[in-house]
Amino acid sequence: MGSFRALEARPGPGIGEPFRMVVEEGKILEFARAVRADLPEHRGPNAIAPATFLAACAHWMSEENSGWKGQRRDFRRVLHGEQEFVLPSGPPRAGTELVGQQRIERIYHKRGKRGGMMKFTDVVTEFSDGDGHLVATMRSTSIETETDVDLSDSEGGT
Amino acid sequence: MDTGRPHFEVGTKLDPWTDAPLSISDFVRYQGASGDMNPIHHDSSFAESAGFPGPFAVGMLTAGIAASYVTSSFGPESIRRFRVRWRELGWPGDVMTYAGTVTDIRQGSERPELEVVVTVTRQNGEPHLTAWAAVVAPSDEDV
């Protein structure tokens, strides 16, 4: 599983610099508590991370690591449409050191229920282990409404 | 032989689970844990300036709880894929009910892999999100 070397993309527009992320026991505990994951497997030095834990990579990222780098986003106009985690061998455990890299995968437009245009952006973050094996992929779709369009025009999203 | 373990087949429904009412404290706890500090989920004046009546739920919070709902049945190490699509916003005070159904079982590279569809609905019956989870069966005998 995941036994191929993750390709490290060359940073550039829409492609962030690789970043380090350490999966820590205390962070797993904190995250698990926040998402009501109360199983004992989320505790202790060998704790397993909850399924959506890699969303916390934001703590390990600076502007240059973001696929959005250099772009200003108005959070008043952005909703979260979809999110996906692919974990070929399951979620990582405490002590795992990952290297993440984020890139904008796709930008597309759709018309909303009331006629406004919405911009969809798929952002992919790939996580490799110390040997360069791809261990997780996170894909996030955000929805941005064009100026002067009510966010309630979008289909779904949070 | 009754092993006492649950048996899963296509159409098996997980026991629905209803959460406590969502609060802005829940949003803040999740935002601190995840590092997503978008003020629209905790700052009333910011949310109002964006045209909303107030802060609304962090989508990744209810997505994360939906994943916890799945792993409470199959174990946290079982999950191989988790995808969520949000339908309608969640709000402070919302009482969300989580329900899951096994929709497919296929042979995975290790053990049988189950597809579970989770729906999360608000107290008024409106859909909040749909999630699709792929999990490996706890053991071969369980499917």
Side-chain angles (χ1 to χ4, degrees), chain A residues 27 34-36 56 59 76 80-85 87-88 90 151 156-158, chain B residues 19 32-35 49 52 59 61 68 80-87 89 109:
Chain A
K27 194 70 197 173
V35 296
R36 322 263 207 258
H59 284 295
R76 291 176 178 84
H80 201 167
E82 281 192 43
Q83 181 85 17
E84 179 183 46
F85 298 85
L87 304 158
L151 265 184
T158 56
Chain B
D19 197 3
S34 73
S49 75
F52 294 97
L61 166 62
S68 303
R80 295 292 179 271
R81 190 166 44 78
F82 185 76
R83 181 165 73 91
V84 58
R85 181 182 293 162
W86 290 277
R87 309 287 183 184
L89 296 179
S109 57

PDB file of all heavy atoms in Angstrom, chain A residues 27 34-36 56 59 76 80-85 87-88 90 151 156-158, chain B residues 19 32-35 49 52 59 61 68 80-87 89 109:
ATOM      1  N   LYS A  27      -1.760  16.478  20.571  1.00  0.00           N
ATOM      2  CA  LYS A  27      -2.600  17.071  19.529  1.00  0.00           C
ATOM      3  C   LYS A  27      -3.705  16.108  19.119  1.00  0.00           C
ATOM      4  O   LYS A  27      -4.836  16.513  18.862  1.00  0.00           O
ATOM      5  CB  LYS A  27      -1.728  17.440  18.316  1.00  0.00           C
ATOM      6  CG  LYS A  27      -2.409  18.353  17.345  1.00  0.00           C
ATOM      7  CD  LYS A  27      -2.564  19.737  17.948  1.00  0.00           C
ATOM      8  CE  LYS A  27      -3.590  20.556  17.207  1.00  0.00           C
ATOM      9  NZ  LYS A  27      -3.848  21.833  17.905  1.00  0.00           N
ATOM     10  N   ALA A  34     -12.296  17.226  20.392  1.00  0.00           N
ATOM     11  CA  ALA A  34     -13.092  18.207  19.645  1.00  0.00           C
ATOM     12  C   ALA A  34     -14.102  17.538  18.720  1.00  0.00           C
ATOM     13  O   ALA A  34     -15.165  18.102  18.459  1.00  0.00           O
ATOM     14  CB  ALA A  34     -12.177  19.128  18.849  1.00  0.00           C
ATOM     15  N   VAL A  35     -13.780  16.346  18.197  1.00  0.00           N
ATOM     16  CA  VAL A  35     -14.699  15.665  17.263  1.00  0.00           C
ATOM     17  C   VAL A  35     -15.402  14.475  17.928  1.00  0.00           C
ATOM     18  O   VAL A  35     -15.879  13.571  17.246  1.00  0.00           O
ATOM     19  CB  VAL A  35     -13.999  15.228  15.947  1.00  0.00           C
ATOM     20  CG1 VAL A  35     -13.506  16.439  15.168  1.00  0.00           C
ATOM     21  CG2 VAL A  35     -12.853  14.249  16.209  1.00  0.00           C
ATOM     22  N   ARG A  36     -15.479  14.507  19.265  1.00  0.00           N
ATOM     23  CA  ARG A  36     -16.241  13.503  20.036  1.00  0.00           C
ATOM     24  C   ARG A  36     -15.729  12.079  19.797  1.00  0.00           C
ATOM     25  O   ARG A  36     -16.514  11.122  19.828  1.00  0.00           O
ATOM     26  CB  ARG A  36     -17.729  13.531  19.674  1.00  0.00           C
ATOM     27  CG  ARG A  36     -18.334  14.914  19.409  1.00  0.00           C
ATOM     28  CD  ARG A  36     -19.011  15.440  20.642  1.00  0.00           C
ATOM     29  NE  ARG A  36     -20.078  16.370  20.360  1.00  0.00           N
ATOM     30  CZ  ARG A  36     -19.971  17.715  20.473  1.00  0.00           C
ATOM     31  NH1 ARG A  36     -18.821  18.262  20.816  1.00  0.00           N
ATOM     32  NH2 ARG A  36     -21.016  18.477  20.250  1.00  0.00           N
ATOM     33  N   ALA A  56      -5.534  19.413  10.626  1.00  0.00           N
ATOM     34  CA  ALA A  56      -4.757  20.234  11.556  1.00  0.00           C
ATOM     35  C   ALA A  56      -3.378  20.593  11.013  1.00  0.00           C
ATOM     36  O   ALA A  56      -2.589  21.254  11.695  1.00  0.00           O
ATOM     37  CB  ALA A  56      -4.625  19.522  12.905  1.00  0.00           C
ATOM     38  N   HIS A  59      -1.660  24.113  11.336  1.00  0.00           N
ATOM     39  CA  HIS A  59      -0.735  24.581  12.378  1.00  0.00           C
ATOM     40  C   HIS A  59       0.716  24.542  11.916  1.00  0.00           C
ATOM     41  O   HIS A  59       1.565  25.238  12.463  1.00  0.00           O
ATOM     42  CB  HIS A  59      -0.862  23.689  13.618  1.00  0.00           C
ATOM     43  CG  HIS A  59      -2.081  23.949  14.424  1.00  0.00           C
ATOM     44  ND1 HIS A  59      -2.309  25.127  15.079  1.00  0.00           N
ATOM     45  CD2 HIS A  59      -3.176  23.178  14.676  1.00  0.00           C
ATOM     46  CE1 HIS A  59      -3.466  25.072  15.726  1.00  0.00           C
ATOM     47  NE2 HIS A  59      -4.009  23.909  15.478  1.00  0.00           N
ATOM     48  N   ARG A  76     -15.503  36.136   4.003  1.00  0.00           N
ATOM     49  CA  ARG A  76     -16.949  36.401   3.992  1.00  0.00           C
ATOM     50  C   ARG A  76     -17.626  35.738   2.799  1.00  0.00           C
ATOM     51  O   ARG A  76     -18.830  35.620   2.750  1.00  0.00           O
ATOM     52  CB  ARG A  76     -17.206  37.912   3.940  1.00  0.00           C
ATOM     53  CG  ARG A  76     -16.811  38.639   5.220  1.00  0.00           C
ATOM     54  CD  ARG A  76     -17.001  40.139   5.052  1.00  0.00           C
ATOM     55  NE  ARG A  76     -16.678  40.846   6.295  1.00  0.00           N
ATOM     56  CZ  ARG A  76     -15.453  41.199   6.653  1.00  0.00           C
ATOM     57  NH1 ARG A  76     -14.434  40.914   5.873  1.00  0.00           N
ATOM     58  NH2 ARG A  76     -15.240  41.827   7.786  1.00  0.00           N
ATOM     59  N   HIS A  80     -17.081  25.944   2.489  1.00  0.00           N
ATOM     60  CA  HIS A  80     -16.410  24.666   2.301  1.00  0.00           C
ATOM     61  C   HIS A  80     -17.429  23.718   1.674  1.00  0.00           C
ATOM     62  O   HIS A  80     -18.474  23.460   2.257  1.00  0.00           O
ATOM     63  CB  HIS A  80     -15.987  24.167   3.685  1.00  0.00           C
ATOM     64  CG  HIS A  80     -14.899  23.159   3.652  1.00  0.00           C
ATOM     65  ND1 HIS A  80     -14.214  22.795   4.779  1.00  0.00           N
ATOM     66  CD2 HIS A  80     -14.375  22.430   2.653  1.00  0.00           C
ATOM     67  CE1 HIS A  80     -13.317  21.872   4.472  1.00  0.00           C
ATOM     68  NE2 HIS A  80     -13.400  21.648   3.173  1.00  0.00           N
ATOM     69  N   GLY A  81     -17.149  23.230   0.489  1.00  0.00           N
ATOM     70  CA  GLY A  81     -18.121  22.401  -0.223  1.00  0.00           C
ATOM     71  C   GLY A  81     -17.938  20.918   0.023  1.00  0.00           C
ATOM     72  O   GLY A  81     -18.893  20.197   0.306  1.00  0.00           O
ATOM     73  N   GLU A  82     -16.705  20.456  -0.112  1.00  0.00           N
ATOM     74  CA  GLU A  82     -16.411  19.032   0.055  1.00  0.00           C
ATOM     75  C   GLU A  82     -15.030  18.860   0.663  1.00  0.00           C
ATOM     76  O   GLU A  82     -14.162  19.747   0.527  1.00  0.00           O
ATOM     77  CB  GLU A  82     -16.418  18.290  -1.303  1.00  0.00           C
ATOM     78  CG  GLU A  82     -17.784  17.968  -1.820  1.00  0.00           C
ATOM     79  CD  GLU A  82     -17.741  16.985  -2.998  1.00  0.00           C
ATOM     80  OE1 GLU A  82     -16.969  15.996  -2.943  1.00  0.00           O
ATOM     81  OE2 GLU A  82     -18.486  17.230  -3.942  1.00  0.00           O
ATOM     82  N   GLN A  83     -14.831  17.715   1.268  1.00  0.00           N
ATOM     83  CA  GLN A  83     -13.520  17.385   1.825  1.00  0.00           C
ATOM     84  C   GLN A  83     -13.341  15.881   1.757  1.00  0.00           C
ATOM     85  O   GLN A  83     -14.285  15.121   2.012  1.00  0.00           O
ATOM     86  CB  GLN A  83     -13.440  17.857   3.281  1.00  0.00           C
ATOM     87  CG  GLN A  83     -12.123  17.598   3.967  1.00  0.00           C
ATOM     88  CD  GLN A  83     -11.085  18.686   3.720  1.00  0.00           C
ATOM     89  OE1 GLN A  83     -11.423  19.782   3.293  1.00  0.00           O
ATOM     90  NE2 GLN A  83      -9.835  18.383   3.991  1.00  0.00           N
ATOM     91  N   GLU A  84     -12.143  15.459   1.397  1.00  0.00           N
ATOM     92  CA  GLU A  84     -11.879  14.024   1.287  1.00  0.00           C
ATOM     93  C   GLU A  84     -10.526  13.691   1.912  1.00  0.00           C
ATOM     94  O   GLU A  84      -9.568  14.469   1.782  1.00  0.00           O
ATOM     95  CB  GLU A  84     -11.859  13.610  -0.183  1.00  0.00           C
ATOM     96  CG  GLU A  84     -11.578  12.134  -0.394  1.00  0.00           C
ATOM     97  CD  GLU A  84     -11.502  11.748  -1.862  1.00  0.00           C
ATOM     98  OE1 GLU A  84     -10.842  12.464  -2.636  1.00  0.00           O
ATOM     99  OE2 GLU A  84     -12.102  10.739  -2.232  1.00  0.00           O
ATOM    100  N   PHE A  85     -10.463  12.557   2.572  1.00  0.00           N
ATOM    101  CA  PHE A  85      -9.207  12.027   3.102  1.00  0.00           C
ATOM    102  C   PHE A  85      -9.026  10.624   2.539  1.00  0.00           C
ATOM    103  O   PHE A  85      -9.937   9.798   2.649  1.00  0.00           O
ATOM    104  CB  PHE A  85      -9.238  11.938   4.633  1.00  0.00           C
ATOM    105  CG  PHE A  85      -9.414  13.282   5.300  1.00  0.00           C
ATOM    106  CD1 PHE A  85     -10.680  13.819   5.481  1.00  0.00           C
ATOM    107  CD2 PHE A  85      -8.320  14.015   5.711  1.00  0.00           C
ATOM    108  CE1 PHE A  85     -10.848  15.061   6.072  1.00  0.00           C
ATOM    109  CE2 PHE A  85      -8.469  15.256   6.303  1.00  0.00           C
ATOM    110  CZ  PHE A  85      -9.744  15.788   6.481  1.00  0.00           C
ATOM    111  N   LEU A  87      -6.571   7.414   3.010  1.00  0.00           N
ATOM    112  CA  LEU A  87      -5.602   6.913   3.987  1.00  0.00           C
ATOM    113  C   LEU A  87      -5.332   5.443   3.678  1.00  0.00           C
ATOM    114  O   LEU A  87      -5.957   4.548   4.252  1.00  0.00           O
ATOM    115  CB  LEU A  87      -6.191   7.061   5.407  1.00  0.00           C
ATOM    116  CG  LEU A  87      -6.628   8.489   5.792  1.00  0.00           C
ATOM    117  CD1 LEU A  87      -7.650   8.470   6.916  1.00  0.00           C
ATOM    118  CD2 LEU A  87      -5.413   9.315   6.180  1.00  0.00           C
ATOM    119  N   PRO A  88      -4.429   5.165   2.722  1.00  0.00           N
ATOM    120  CA  PRO A  88      -4.253   3.784   2.233  1.00  0.00           C
ATOM    121  C   PRO A  88      -3.955   2.763   3.334  1.00  0.00           C
ATOM    122  O   PRO A  88      -4.335   1.602   3.219  1.00  0.00           O
ATOM    123  CB  PRO A  88      -3.075   3.889   1.259  1.00  0.00           C
ATOM    124  CG  PRO A  88      -3.022   5.329   0.872  1.00  0.00           C
ATOM    125  CD  PRO A  88      -3.535   6.104   2.048  1.00  0.00           C
ATOM    126  N   GLY A  90      -4.646   3.550   6.707  1.00  0.00           N
ATOM    127  CA  GLY A  90      -5.302   4.055   7.905  1.00  0.00           C
ATOM    128  C   GLY A  90      -4.669   5.347   8.383  1.00  0.00           C
ATOM    129  O   GLY A  90      -3.649   5.798   7.842  1.00  0.00           O
ATOM    130  N   LEU A 151     -24.159  34.444  -0.402  1.00  0.00           N
ATOM    131  CA  LEU A 151     -23.584  33.105  -0.177  1.00  0.00           C
ATOM    132  C   LEU A 151     -24.673  32.041  -0.118  1.00  0.00           C
ATOM    133  O   LEU A 151     -24.432  30.876  -0.415  1.00  0.00           O
ATOM    134  CB  LEU A 151     -22.809  33.075   1.153  1.00  0.00           C
ATOM    135  CG  LEU A 151     -21.313  33.327   1.097  1.00  0.00           C
ATOM    136  CD1 LEU A 151     -20.739  33.168   2.470  1.00  0.00           C
ATOM    137  CD2 LEU A 151     -20.632  32.388   0.121  1.00  0.00           C
ATOM    138  N   GLY A 156     -25.229  24.003  -0.906  1.00  0.00           N
ATOM    139  CA  GLY A 156     -24.497  23.379   0.181  1.00  0.00           C
ATOM    140  C   GLY A 156     -23.281  24.201   0.561  1.00  0.00           C
ATOM    141  O   GLY A 156     -23.120  25.336   0.150  1.00  0.00           O
ATOM    142  N   GLY A 157     -22.425  23.594   1.333  1.00  0.00           N
ATOM    143  CA  GLY A 157     -21.219  24.277   1.798  1.00  0.00           C
ATOM    144  C   GLY A 157     -21.374  24.785   3.201  1.00  0.00           C
ATOM    145  O   GLY A 157     -22.484  25.057   3.656  1.00  0.00           O
ATOM    146  N   THR A 158     -20.259  24.856   3.899  1.00  0.00           N
ATOM    147  CA  THR A 158     -20.286  25.379   5.266  1.00  0.00           C
ATOM    148  C   THR A 158     -19.108  26.299   5.459  1.00  0.00           C
ATOM    149  O   THR A 158     -18.142  26.241   4.726  1.00  0.00           O
ATOM    150  CB  THR A 158     -20.182  24.250   6.302  1.00  0.00           C
ATOM    151  OG1 THR A 158     -19.020  23.483   6.059  1.00  0.00           O
ATOM    152  CG2 THR A 158     -21.397  23.369   6.271  1.00  0.00           C
TER     153      THR A 158
ATOM    154  N   ASP B  19     -26.419  13.876  18.758  1.00  0.00           N
ATOM    155  CA  ASP B  19     -25.425  14.618  19.536  1.00  0.00           C
ATOM    156  C   ASP B  19     -26.122  15.634  20.439  1.00  0.00           C
ATOM    157  O   ASP B  19     -27.297  15.955  20.252  1.00  0.00           O
ATOM    158  CB  ASP B  19     -24.493  15.343  18.541  1.00  0.00           C
ATOM    159  CG  ASP B  19     -23.196  15.817  19.177  1.00  0.00           C
ATOM    160  OD1 ASP B  19     -22.967  15.545  20.378  1.00  0.00           O
ATOM    161  OD2 ASP B  19     -22.407  16.472  18.462  1.00  0.00           O
ATOM    162  N   GLY B  32      -9.517  25.654  17.488  1.00  0.00           N
ATOM    163  CA  GLY B  32      -8.211  25.645  18.140  1.00  0.00           C
ATOM    164  C   GLY B  32      -7.452  24.362  17.822  1.00  0.00           C
ATOM    165  O   GLY B  32      -6.250  24.373  17.561  1.00  0.00           O
ATOM    166  N   ALA B  33      -8.174  23.242  17.829  1.00  0.00           N
ATOM    167  CA  ALA B  33      -7.531  21.946  17.562  1.00  0.00           C
ATOM    168  C   ALA B  33      -7.031  21.879  16.128  1.00  0.00           C
ATOM    169  O   ALA B  33      -5.962  21.330  15.854  1.00  0.00           O
ATOM    170  CB  ALA B  33      -8.501  20.803  17.853  1.00  0.00           C
ATOM    171  N   SER B  34      -7.799  22.424  15.200  1.00  0.00           N
ATOM    172  CA  SER B  34      -7.470  22.246  13.770  1.00  0.00           C
ATOM    173  C   SER B  34      -6.601  23.361  13.210  1.00  0.00           C
ATOM    174  O   SER B  34      -5.961  23.172  12.172  1.00  0.00           O
ATOM    175  CB  SER B  34      -8.745  22.169  12.936  1.00  0.00           C
ATOM    176  OG  SER B  34      -9.339  23.453  12.846  1.00  0.00           O
ATOM    177  N   GLY B  35      -6.613  24.514  13.861  1.00  0.00           N
ATOM    178  CA  GLY B  35      -5.831  25.631  13.330  1.00  0.00           C
ATOM    179  C   GLY B  35      -6.571  26.460  12.294  1.00  0.00           C
ATOM    180  O   GLY B  35      -6.007  27.397  11.733  1.00  0.00           O
ATOM    181  N   SER B  49     -21.335  40.812   9.186  1.00  0.00           N
ATOM    182  CA  SER B  49     -20.828  41.635   8.077  1.00  0.00           C
ATOM    183  C   SER B  49     -20.803  40.841   6.773  1.00  0.00           C
ATOM    184  O   SER B  49     -20.748  41.417   5.687  1.00  0.00           O
ATOM    185  CB  SER B  49     -19.426  42.171   8.393  1.00  0.00           C
ATOM    186  OG  SER B  49     -18.458  41.141   8.258  1.00  0.00           O
ATOM    187  N   PHE B  52     -24.675  36.937   7.378  1.00  0.00           N
ATOM    188  CA  PHE B  52     -25.262  35.818   8.119  1.00  0.00           C
ATOM    189  C   PHE B  52     -25.867  36.335   9.420  1.00  0.00           C
ATOM    190  O   PHE B  52     -25.408  37.355   9.961  1.00  0.00           O
ATOM    191  CB  PHE B  52     -24.190  34.761   8.433  1.00  0.00           C
ATOM    192  CG  PHE B  52     -23.655  34.086   7.203  1.00  0.00           C
ATOM    193  CD1 PHE B  52     -22.471  34.524   6.618  1.00  0.00           C
ATOM    194  CD2 PHE B  52     -24.343  33.035   6.616  1.00  0.00           C
ATOM    195  CE1 PHE B  52     -21.977  33.921   5.471  1.00  0.00           C
ATOM    196  CE2 PHE B  52     -23.856  32.427   5.471  1.00  0.00           C
ATOM    197  CZ  PHE B  52     -22.677  32.869   4.894  1.00  0.00           C
ATOM    198  N   GLY B  59     -17.750  23.391   9.232  1.00  0.00           N
ATOM    199  CA  GLY B  59     -18.106  22.156   8.518  1.00  0.00           C
ATOM    200  C   GLY B  59     -17.238  20.994   8.919  1.00  0.00           C
ATOM    201  O   GLY B  59     -17.705  19.857   9.074  1.00  0.00           O
ATOM    202  N   LEU B  61     -16.005  20.378  11.711  1.00  0.00           N
ATOM    203  CA  LEU B  61     -16.369  19.838  13.029  1.00  0.00           C
ATOM    204  C   LEU B  61     -17.376  18.700  12.861  1.00  0.00           C
ATOM    205  O   LEU B  61     -17.153  17.580  13.335  1.00  0.00           O
ATOM    206  CB  LEU B  61     -16.944  20.947  13.916  1.00  0.00           C
ATOM    207  CG  LEU B  61     -17.663  20.460  15.185  1.00  0.00           C
ATOM    208  CD1 LEU B  61     -16.716  19.709  16.107  1.00  0.00           C
ATOM    209  CD2 LEU B  61     -18.307  21.635  15.921  1.00  0.00           C
ATOM    210  N   SER B  68     -16.044  10.117  13.471  1.00  0.00           N
ATOM    211  CA  SER B  68     -15.996   9.455  14.785  1.00  0.00           C
ATOM    212  C   SER B  68     -17.169   8.494  14.942  1.00  0.00           C
ATOM    213  O   SER B  68     -17.040   7.421  15.548  1.00  0.00           O
ATOM    214  CB  SER B  68     -16.034  10.490  15.915  1.00  0.00           C
ATOM    215  OG  SER B  68     -14.978  11.403  15.792  1.00  0.00           O
ATOM    216  N   ARG B  80     -10.153   3.961   5.641  1.00  0.00           N
ATOM    217  CA  ARG B  80      -9.235   4.084   4.502  1.00  0.00           C
ATOM    218  C   ARG B  80      -9.564   5.294   3.629  1.00  0.00           C
ATOM    219  O   ARG B  80      -8.712   5.792   2.898  1.00  0.00           O
ATOM    220  CB  ARG B  80      -9.288   2.813   3.631  1.00  0.00           C
ATOM    221  CG  ARG B  80      -8.785   1.562   4.354  1.00  0.00           C
ATOM    222  CD  ARG B  80      -7.291   1.653   4.617  1.00  0.00           C
ATOM    223  NE  ARG B  80      -6.778   0.488   5.338  1.00  0.00           N
ATOM    224  CZ  ARG B  80      -6.737   0.399   6.667  1.00  0.00           C
ATOM    225  NH1 ARG B  80      -7.162   1.407   7.423  1.00  0.00           N
ATOM    226  NH2 ARG B  80      -6.251  -0.680   7.251  1.00  0.00           N
ATOM    227  N   ARG B  81     -10.814   5.724   3.655  1.00  0.00           N
ATOM    228  CA  ARG B  81     -11.204   6.891   2.869  1.00  0.00           C
ATOM    229  C   ARG B  81     -12.411   7.524   3.546  1.00  0.00           C
ATOM    230  O   ARG B  81     -13.276   6.805   4.075  1.00  0.00           O
ATOM    231  CB  ARG B  81     -11.553   6.477   1.430  1.00  0.00           C
ATOM    232  CG  ARG B  81     -11.743   7.617   0.455  1.00  0.00           C
ATOM    233  CD  ARG B  81     -11.741   7.115  -1.009  1.00  0.00           C
ATOM    234  NE  ARG B  81     -12.542   5.903  -1.180  1.00  0.00           N
ATOM    235  CZ  ARG B  81     -13.863   5.893  -1.245  1.00  0.00           C
ATOM    236  NH1 ARG B  81     -14.544   7.014  -1.175  1.00  0.00           N
ATOM    237  NH2 ARG B  81     -14.520   4.747  -1.378  1.00  0.00           N
ATOM    238  N   PHE B  82     -12.462   8.830   3.536  1.00  0.00           N
ATOM    239  CA  PHE B  82     -13.592   9.526   4.128  1.00  0.00           C
ATOM    240  C   PHE B  82     -13.833  10.787   3.318  1.00  0.00           C
ATOM    241  O   PHE B  82     -12.934  11.601   3.160  1.00  0.00           O
ATOM    242  CB  PHE B  82     -13.307   9.869   5.596  1.00  0.00           C
ATOM    243  CG  PHE B  82     -14.480  10.483   6.303  1.00  0.00           C
ATOM    244  CD1 PHE B  82     -15.546   9.680   6.716  1.00  0.00           C
ATOM    245  CD2 PHE B  82     -14.534  11.839   6.548  1.00  0.00           C
ATOM    246  CE1 PHE B  82     -16.642  10.243   7.345  1.00  0.00           C
ATOM    247  CE2 PHE B  82     -15.629  12.402   7.183  1.00  0.00           C
ATOM    248  CZ  PHE B  82     -16.683  11.607   7.588  1.00  0.00           C
ATOM    249  N   ARG B  83     -15.028  10.901   2.764  1.00  0.00           N
ATOM    250  CA  ARG B  83     -15.343  12.066   1.935  1.00  0.00           C
ATOM    251  C   ARG B  83     -16.647  12.654   2.440  1.00  0.00           C
ATOM    252  O   ARG B  83     -17.566  11.917   2.793  1.00  0.00           O
ATOM    253  CB  ARG B  83     -15.494  11.647   0.468  1.00  0.00           C
ATOM    254  CG  ARG B  83     -15.805  12.790  -0.474  1.00  0.00           C
ATOM    255  CD  ARG B  83     -15.586  12.368  -1.930  1.00  0.00           C
ATOM    256  NE  ARG B  83     -16.615  11.465  -2.431  1.00  0.00           N
ATOM    257  CZ  ARG B  83     -17.730  11.872  -3.036  1.00  0.00           C
ATOM    258  NH1 ARG B  83     -17.973  13.158  -3.213  1.00  0.00           N
ATOM    259  NH2 ARG B  83     -18.614  10.989  -3.470  1.00  0.00           N
ATOM    260  N   VAL B  84     -16.725  13.944   2.472  1.00  0.00           N
ATOM    261  CA  VAL B  84     -17.927  14.597   2.972  1.00  0.00           C
ATOM    262  C   VAL B  84     -18.347  15.709   2.020  1.00  0.00           C
ATOM    263  O   VAL B  84     -17.504  16.377   1.415  1.00  0.00           O
ATOM    264  CB  VAL B  84     -17.699  15.121   4.420  1.00  0.00           C
ATOM    265  CG1 VAL B  84     -16.549  16.078   4.482  1.00  0.00           C
ATOM    266  CG2 VAL B  84     -18.950  15.777   4.976  1.00  0.00           C
ATOM    267  N   ARG B  85     -19.651  15.846   1.863  1.00  0.00           N
ATOM    268  CA  ARG B  85     -20.216  16.973   1.107  1.00  0.00           C
ATOM    269  C   ARG B  85     -21.268  17.633   1.994  1.00  0.00           C
ATOM    270  O   ARG B  85     -22.162  16.963   2.507  1.00  0.00           O
ATOM    271  CB  ARG B  85     -20.863  16.497  -0.192  1.00  0.00           C
ATOM    272  CG  ARG B  85     -21.438  17.645  -1.021  1.00  0.00           C
ATOM    273  CD  ARG B  85     -22.119  17.124  -2.267  1.00  0.00           C
ATOM    274  NE  ARG B  85     -21.168  16.541  -3.188  1.00  0.00           N
ATOM    275  CZ  ARG B  85     -21.511  15.711  -4.187  1.00  0.00           C
ATOM    276  NH1 ARG B  85     -22.770  15.357  -4.350  1.00  0.00           N
ATOM    277  NH2 ARG B  85     -20.589  15.247  -4.996  1.00  0.00           N
ATOM    278  N   TRP B  86     -21.118  18.936   2.170  1.00  0.00           N
ATOM    279  CA  TRP B  86     -22.068  19.649   3.017  1.00  0.00           C
ATOM    280  C   TRP B  86     -23.275  20.078   2.208  1.00  0.00           C
ATOM    281  O   TRP B  86     -23.163  20.428   1.035  1.00  0.00           O
ATOM    282  CB  TRP B  86     -21.391  20.867   3.662  1.00  0.00           C
ATOM    283  CG  TRP B  86     -20.392  20.458   4.682  1.00  0.00           C
ATOM    284  CD1 TRP B  86     -20.633  20.119   5.984  1.00  0.00           C
ATOM    285  CD2 TRP B  86     -18.974  20.292   4.496  1.00  0.00           C
ATOM    286  NE1 TRP B  86     -19.467  19.756   6.610  1.00  0.00           N
ATOM    287  CE2 TRP B  86     -18.435  19.860   5.719  1.00  0.00           C
ATOM    288  CE3 TRP B  86     -18.113  20.470   3.413  1.00  0.00           C
ATOM    289  CZ2 TRP B  86     -17.082  19.604   5.905  1.00  0.00           C
ATOM    290  CZ3 TRP B  86     -16.769  20.219   3.589  1.00  0.00           C
ATOM    291  CH2 TRP B  86     -16.260  19.794   4.814  1.00  0.00           C
ATOM    292  N   ARG B  87     -24.432  20.032   2.861  1.00  0.00           N
ATOM    293  CA  ARG B  87     -25.704  20.370   2.196  1.00  0.00           C
ATOM    294  C   ARG B  87     -26.241  21.714   2.657  1.00  0.00           C
ATOM    295  O   ARG B  87     -26.627  22.543   1.865  1.00  0.00           O
ATOM    296  CB  ARG B  87     -26.743  19.292   2.487  1.00  0.00           C
ATOM    297  CG  ARG B  87     -26.272  17.869   2.213  1.00  0.00           C
ATOM    298  CD  ARG B  87     -26.174  17.589   0.740  1.00  0.00           C
ATOM    299  NE  ARG B  87     -25.780  16.203   0.484  1.00  0.00           N
ATOM    300  CZ  ARG B  87     -25.551  15.713  -0.730  1.00  0.00           C
ATOM    301  NH1 ARG B  87     -25.690  16.482  -1.791  1.00  0.00           N
ATOM    302  NH2 ARG B  87     -25.173  14.477  -0.891  1.00  0.00           N
ATOM    303  N   LEU B  89     -25.998  24.742   6.058  1.00  0.00           N
ATOM    304  CA  LEU B  89     -25.212  25.170   7.209  1.00  0.00           C
ATOM    305  C   LEU B  89     -25.791  24.597   8.500  1.00  0.00           C
ATOM    306  O   LEU B  89     -26.984  24.356   8.607  1.00  0.00           O
ATOM    307  CB  LEU B  89     -25.207  26.701   7.296  1.00  0.00           C
ATOM    308  CG  LEU B  89     -24.541  27.459   6.146  1.00  0.00           C
ATOM    309  CD1 LEU B  89     -24.660  28.960   6.382  1.00  0.00           C
ATOM    310  CD2 LEU B  89     -23.085  27.056   6.001  1.00  0.00           C
ATOM    311  N   SER B 109      -7.533  -5.169  -0.373  1.00  0.00           N
ATOM    312  CA  SER B 109      -6.221  -5.805  -0.458  1.00  0.00           C
ATOM    313  C   SER B 109      -5.880  -6.551   0.830  1.00  0.00           C
ATOM    314  O   SER B 109      -5.071  -7.474   0.820  1.00  0.00           O
ATOM    315  CB  SER B 109      -5.149  -4.756  -0.770  1.00  0.00           C
ATOM    316  OG  SER B 109      -5.165  -3.758   0.217  1.00  0.00           O
TER     317      SER B 109
END
